[in-house]
Amino acid sequence: MSFLANLKIGTKLALSSGIGIVLIAGILINQQIASSEISSANAAVSREQTIFNGIQTAAVSLAEMRAASNEVGSGTTARDVEAALNQAKRSSQQAWDGLEEPINIALKPDALKDIVVACASMRAL
């Protein structure tokens, strides 16, 4: 403390102002880092939501295809069978379309390839 006691008031004010400026600079740098981390987290959440929505659409479409394939087996007329096949093809296309964007933006697209293979096999019917 004897060091500060021997300083003039102007020097003490300059030191305290310098310390204040360093603290403000630290606050601004911290804010910039936090903002960039929040921005990247929001982008990741948006990407994951898009992937989830695509998978959910594909799952619903696959369920519709299963229902349509059951109707093909239980169809009594050719018209019923044809309508069920058309519904299965529409559902397959919806599943395919729902997965196209998620596969393109997924960090590990191989995880979604199994669903694509299932859709492709149903489309082959």
Side-chain angles (χ1 to χ4, degrees), residues 25 29-30 45 47 49 68 77 80 82 92 95:
I29 291 169
N30 185 38
V45 166
R47 184 178 60 248
Q49 185 64 45
T77 65
D80 292 340
E82 186 67 30
S92 172

Side-chain angles (χ1 to χ4, degrees), residues 73-94:
S74 64
T76 55
T77 65
R79 182 176 290 170
D80 292 340
V81 171
E82 186 67 30
L85 281 174
N86 288 336
Q87 176 60 37
K89 287 179 184 178
R90 279 192 302 274
S91 297
S92 172
Q93 187 62 44
Q94 288 173 347

Side-chain angles (χ1 to χ4, degrees), residues 1 5 8 12 28 32 37 43 46 48 56-57 59 65 71 75 85 98 102 110 119 121:
M1 276 307 220
K8 294 181 183 177
K12 290 178 185 177
L28 291 175
Q32 291 296 323
E37 288 179 4
S46 176
E48 294 299 322
Q56 189 175 22
T57 299
M65 287 187 326
E71 290 178 23
L85 281 174
D110 293 338
C119 290
S121 67

